[in-house]
Amino acid sequence: MNVLTNTSLSHSLEQAELTYWQEYLIAASTFPETAPYFDLQPFGKEVVAGLCREHDILAFNRCLGLGLTTDLNPAQLKQITAYYAQAGVPRFFVPVFPGTDPCLLEKHGFKPYNNWAKLIRRIHLPLRETPCPFQLRPATTADRDTFARIVTTAFNWPDLLGYFFASTLERPNWHHSIVMSGAKAVAVGALFIHGNIGVMAVAATLPEYRNRGAQNALIQHRIRQARELGCRYMSVETAENKPDTPSISCQNMLKQGFELAYLRPNYLKIIKK
């Protein structure tokens, strides 16, 4: 059951996601390893399209903010589609903000693809403390290679995408952590602060260290950080948790006091060559 009925708060959650994704794209454009491959383009107020020229991975080829503050319009959809087509991107998707009518998307060839779960947690709720055999420390720009390697290893992604997520190390409003097993780095996580919302950004654990408590430690640590920084809410996006395709990430968050704010549909556009 969705718990969020506050429209203003749902707008804030979406704006927080839009902002931190822009931060990633802007930061990635400053590094030689990533700059040639990523791009972002605004399309009106609070609408940003981002792309990765090198890899057909939908999480990196998506347009955020459509319908957030203004109604969808055909001209805007055509401009956005042309932007991806000119970059040689074969497909992209559009997250549909709650309350936005997707009929116009469907009319212009967008198809329902999947749902992402937007989860929220009231910051004052007590933590469900769990034992942790690891140590946590802040990550700095000196950890850039390590941070990137753990992300790419965990998700089986190309190295380029790991450096995308490592690009925000030590940027304002960002807080990155590394989980250590002795002298070995085994997991990483990032927190982004947007007003009174703490956003759980990327988190990844090396495969051989999964199911040992590293992710729970990162979740708890970032909640504590956000609380100390004056946030009222925590937010995170995960895959939808379904009986036939369970989302471990979603389940971990629910155990730590997160609730489903809403399911947000993603609409896919395949670009004809």
Side-chain angles (χ1 to χ4, degrees):
M1 179 182 294
N2 295 12
V3 301
L4 191 61
T5 58
N6 184 324
T7 302
S8 175
L9 180 53
S10 61
H11 272 76
S12 295
L13 297 180
E14 293 296 319
Q15 287 166 343
E17 181 184 353
L18 174 66
T19 303
Y20 93 74
W21 198 248
Q22 284 187 93
E23 286 270 331
Y24 273 131
L25 290 163
I26 292 168
S29 70
T30 67
F31 292 103
E33 299 97 325
T34 52
Y37 305 106
F38 294 99
D39 188 50
L40 74 159
Q41 180 68 42
F43 287 92
K45 185 179 180 181
E46 294 189 334
V47 176
V48 173
L51 63 80
C52 176
R53 295 182 178 89
E54 189 73 5
H55 299 291
D56 177 23
I57 300 177
L58 287 170
F60 296 91
N61 293 304
R62 55 181 171 141
C63 182
L64 296 173
L66 279 171
L68 186 57
T69 56
T70 57
D71 292 337
L72 298 176
N73 68 79
Q76 190 179 47
L77 292 178
K78 290 179 181 178
Q79 291 170 356
I80 292 166
T81 301
Y83 165 71
Y84 285 103
Q86 289 166 8
V89 173
R91 58 182 188 153
F92 69 98
F93 74 31
V94 173
V96 178
F97 177 71
T100 300
D101 187 352
C103 288
L104 186 61
L105 289 171
E106 294 171 355
K107 184 177 179 181
H108 285 265
F110 289 78
K111 304 293 184 183
Y113 184 71
N114 63 6
N115 294 319
W116 281 7
K118 178 77 76 173
L119 305 177
I120 188 171
R121 188 188 196 279
R122 274 67 176 178
I123 203 73
H124 68 274
L125 295 175
L127 284 168
R128 180 185 175 188
E129 301 286 353
T130 55
C132 177
F134 305 113
Q135 304 79 45
L136 276 77
R137 66 169 177 83
T140 69
T141 51
D143 299 301
R144 188 162 168 258
D145 290 343
T146 299
F147 199 100
R149 175 182 56 81
I150 291 175
V151 171
T152 55
T153 302
F155 292 104
N156 194 26
W157 280 341
D159 291 345
L160 168 68
L161 302 183
Y163 282 102
F164 174 88
F165 287 106
S167 66
T168 54
L169 284 161
E170 294 196 72
R171 286 178 66 90
N173 301 316
W174 285 89
H175 304 268
H176 297 77
S177 302
I178 292 185
V179 179
M180 305 294 297
S181 177
K184 182 176 182 179
V186 301
V188 295
L191 169 70
F192 179 70
I193 303 298
H194 184 265
N196 66 357
I197 298 172
V199 182
M200 298 274 194
V202 68
T205 302
L206 294 177
E208 64 269 29
Y209 284 87
R210 289 173 182 161
N211 301 314
R212 299 193 193 181
Q215 281 304 312
N216 275 331
L218 280 168
I219 294 170
Q220 293 174 20
H221 177 66
R222 287 179 288 175
I223 291 171
R224 293 189 191 97
Q225 282 183 309
R227 184 182 292 161
E228 292 170 0
L229 292 166
C231 293
R232 293 183 61 193
Y233 304 98
M234 296 295 293
S235 173
V236 67
E237 300 85 39
T238 75
E240 181 182 4
N241 188 43
K242 300 191 293 185
D244 55 338
T245 53
S247 167
I248 301 302
S249 177
C250 185
Q251 292 173 5
N252 285 338
M253 295 296 176
L254 294 174
K255 291 175 183 176
Q256 290 295 341
F258 283 82
E259 298 177 275
L260 177 65
Y262 45 84
L263 289 175
R264 194 184 60 193
N266 294 310
Y267 272 67
L268 178 69
K269 176 71 171 181
I270 296 176
I271 301 172
K272 294 181 180 179
K273 298 295 184 182

